[in-house]
Amino acid sequence: MAAKIDEKDLKRIREQLPWLDGLGIEIAEMGDKRAVLTLAASRDVLRPGGTVSGPAMMTLADAAMYFAILGTIGLVEMALTTSLSINFLRPPPPGEMRAECRILKLGKRLAYGEAFIYSAGADPEQPVAHATMTYSIPPDRPAPPAGTAS
Amino acid sequence: MAAKIDEKDLKRIREQLPWLDGLGIEIAEMGDKRAVLTLAASRDVLRPGGTVSGPAMMTLADAAMYFAILGTIGLVEMALTTSLSINFLRPPPPGEMRAECRILKLGKRLAYGEAFIYSAGADPEQPVAHATMTYSIPPDRPAPPAGTAS
Amino acid sequence: MAAKIDEKDLKRIREQLPWLDGLGIEIAEMGDKRAVLTLAASRDVLRPGGTVSGPAMMTLADAAMYFAILGTIGLVEMALTTSLSINFLRPPPPGEMRAECRILKLGKRLAYGEAFIYSAGADPEQPVAHATMTYSIPPDRPAPPAGTAS
Amino acid sequence: MAAKIDEKDLKRIREQLPWLDGLGIEIAEMGDKRAVLTLAASRDVLRPGGTVSGPAMMTLADAAMYFAILGTIGLVEMALTTSLSINFLRPPPPGEMRAECRILKLGKRLAYGEAFIYSAGADPEQPVAHATMTYSIPPDRPAPPAGTAS
């Protein structure tokens, strides 16, 4: 992993985002302007009809963008979503899902990217959902001393 | 509550959406083309910096639209979000939040609406977030027999 | 008109946006965090089926936000749209249209607002389209000397 | 061109969308689930600051999606935009622009796709704008007799 964030910082960040564990979201890849995250198959994210819930997919897309940013510019705890737009294209079957995010613009203050969400093992021509997201990046971002709660 | 759904069906629907309880989301009002929902102040929804997480607000907005639809046309378990777009306007302080949703179009197959999210007790001129949402509504929707899992 | 821009500057700005005249877009009201613009009934904006074209309505919504900003903070020629999202809710009949825009957040660098588009004389409960928009506002904005091309 | 629409129908459709000629929009490619359109460099689409106007780019993206649909399923005059969302990433210099659109879902009633807009000759890693669009497709669509106004 060539991501500009080390395992220790990544672990600390994750502990501050407990809903990721709650949904079974894992980071599969992090690198230059991109990230791939997975969402575990679990009963907790299914909605009536047996399909994965919209909010679970929104959370997955949003997290994919966050980690794509962190993997590219390093530790920026206060990067915040300023907008997210998601279209649900096909009801996904129950099962693991995967979000593939890439950053389309990385400015000093704003990052913009898109994420495709797939059912595990599905045709890459058949995304389940597509999201676009804008994040604001704090103007100055000294890395906090290790062990400091932010 | 003049909502076109009774307490028993509402309770059953909520049991199928366990993430609402997980976030402390409650229905405050449901009525003709509108709904008001609240999100409890809790540590679980806070992100670094002490602000309520984006995914918690997305889930709140999405649920507000769902219950605005159910309150207007009755039990439609398979109403599904087809798109959601949210803009975060101000970082909310920790504390209870409120989403006010109204439906702007209710067609046979699609509903479109918007939700404003506020910090409890805040100025109505100062929304924390603004979302627009489209839901698809199944073409025929006979109410399932009571007690049937859907 | 309590708008913070005088008639002379407004006239000059309009001359720099020739597509407004091309579509027959007029400013009906400009004031504190809001603007109302009209789009003339003309053959040029109709698409097959006799309905007003999407691009004409997008242009109308975008201009309504621009003039709402100018009416609130004065002459800012370089305010630029950073995002626009529009949902078309009902095909409008041929005829004059009206966009009502209000600004929901006006920060130092970003403005966010929404616009409802109506057919002239139509029910305010039946908007034809709904748009949300974000504009960036240049950090410092001295008014250019009169007569200077920008 | 393997597009499922012949030159004669395409010419007729274009005559019904006169704003395309007004902006100097041309179809460069049309094919299976995709289309590439160009926007001529002209003074008429420039806004203060010398950058191509937002509405011109919105119109370009919207048209790219329309012709991607027509190139895939044939003549559907009444395909209508139901939503469009665009993010402007970099102010484009004056000059020709290009929109590359691909359809991500083509259902019986709805099509969803995205378009990237570039300055001519620019780095494909540096899009000027990114749009997502949903079109509704009429349920039955017999081709009208040639020469019939629709």
Side-chain angles (χ1 to χ4, degrees), chain B residues 27-99:
Chain B
I27 301 168
E29 296 175 38
M30 267 176 89
D32 184 36
K33 293 193 181 173
R34 60 188 298 279
V36 179
L37 273 68
T38 56
L39 172 74
S42 83
R43 291 187 67 121
D44 292 349
V45 300
L46 298 184
R47 52 158 290 148
T51 186
V52 175
S53 83
M57 287 190 271
M58 293 175 210
T59 305
L60 179 64
D62 186 53
M65 182 70 180
Y66 185 62
F67 288 108
I69 294 170
L70 265 56
T72 308
I73 62 173
L75 188 66
V76 199
E77 293 177 46
M78 285 311 295
L80 287 171
T81 314
T82 54
S83 69
L84 179 145
S85 209
I86 189 164
N87 281 268
F88 297 99
L89 306 177
R90 300 167 177 90
E96 189 181 298
M97 308 201 74
R98 192 177 77 255

Side-chain angles (χ1 to χ4, degrees), chain D residues 36-119:
Chain D
V36 179
L37 274 68
T38 55
L39 172 74
S42 84
R43 293 187 64 121
D44 292 350
V45 300
L46 298 183
R47 51 157 292 149
T51 185
V52 175
S53 84
M57 287 190 271
M58 294 176 210
T59 305
L60 179 64
D62 185 53
M65 181 70 181
Y66 185 62
F67 288 108
I69 294 171
L70 264 57
T72 308
I73 62 173
L75 188 68
V76 199
E77 293 178 46
M78 286 309 298
L80 287 171
T81 314
T82 55
S83 68
L84 178 145
S85 210
I86 189 164
N87 280 269
F88 298 99
L89 306 177
R90 298 166 179 91
E96 190 181 298
M97 309 201 74
R98 191 177 79 255
E100 299 185 1
C101 179
R102 66 176 177 136
I103 298 175
L104 296 169
K105 185 194 173 178
L106 185 56
K108 282 181 191 169
R109 289 169 159 275
L110 284 174
Y112 174 80
E114 69 177 335
F116 287 91
I117 298 181
Y118 300 95
S119 286

Side-chain angles (χ1 to χ4, degrees), chain B residues 68-146:
Chain B
I69 294 170
L70 265 56
T72 308
I73 62 173
L75 188 66
V76 199
E77 293 177 46
M78 285 311 295
L80 287 171
T81 314
T82 54
S83 69
L84 179 145
S85 209
I86 189 164
N87 281 268
F88 297 99
L89 306 177
R90 300 167 177 90
E96 189 181 298
M97 308 201 74
R98 192 177 77 255
E100 299 185 2
C101 179
R102 67 178 177 134
I103 298 175
L104 296 169
K105 186 195 173 179
L106 185 56
K108 281 182 191 169
R109 288 169 159 278
L110 285 174
Y112 174 80
E114 69 177 334
F116 288 91
I117 299 181
Y118 301 95
S119 285
D123 182 348
E125 294 293 307
Q126 303 274 323
V128 159
H130 180 232
T132 60
M133 290 151 287
T134 306
Y135 264 74
S136 72
I137 301 172
D140 55 331
R141 36 177 197 272

Side-chain angles (χ1 to χ4, degrees), chain A residues 71-94:
Chain A
T72 307
I73 62 173
L75 188 66
V76 200
E77 293 179 46
M78 286 310 297
L80 287 171
T81 314
T82 55
S83 68
L84 178 146
S85 208
I86 189 164
N87 280 268
F88 298 98
L89 305 177
R90 298 165 179 90

Side-chain angles (χ1 to χ4, degrees), chain A:
Chain A
M1 187 166 76
K4 289 202 175 170
I5 183 168
D6 63 29
E7 291 291 344
K8 187 180 163 190
D9 282 340
L10 200 56
K11 185 164 178 290
R12 186 162 58 83
I13 286 277
R14 281 202 56 124
E15 285 167 1
Q16 294 173 351
L17 308 170
W19 51 88
L20 299 186
D21 285 337
L23 289 171
I25 290 176
E26 296 293 337
I27 301 167
E29 295 176 38
M30 266 176 89
D32 185 35
K33 294 194 181 172
R34 61 188 298 278
V36 179
L37 274 67
T38 55
L39 171 74
S42 83
R43 293 187 65 122
D44 293 349
V45 300
L46 298 184
R47 50 157 291 147
T51 185
V52 175
S53 84
M57 287 190 271
M58 294 176 209
T59 305
L60 179 64
D62 186 53
M65 181 70 180
Y66 184 63
F67 288 108
I69 294 171
L70 264 57
T72 307
I73 62 173
L75 188 66
V76 200
E77 293 179 46
M78 286 310 297
L80 287 171
T81 314
T82 55
S83 68
L84 178 146
S85 208
I86 189 164
N87 280 268
F88 298 98
L89 305 177
R90 298 165 179 90
E96 190 181 299
M97 309 201 73
R98 191 177 79 254
E100 300 185 1
C101 179
R102 67 177 176 135
I103 298 176
L104 297 169
K105 185 194 175 179
L106 185 56
K108 282 182 191 168
R109 289 170 158 276
L110 285 175
Y112 173 80
E114 69 177 335
F116 287 90
I117 299 181
Y118 301 95
S119 286
D123 182 348
E125 294 292 308
Q126 304 273 323
V128 159
H130 180 233
T132 61
M133 290 150 288
T134 307
Y135 264 74
S136 72
I137 300 172
D140 54 333
R141 35 177 199 273
T148 302
S150 64

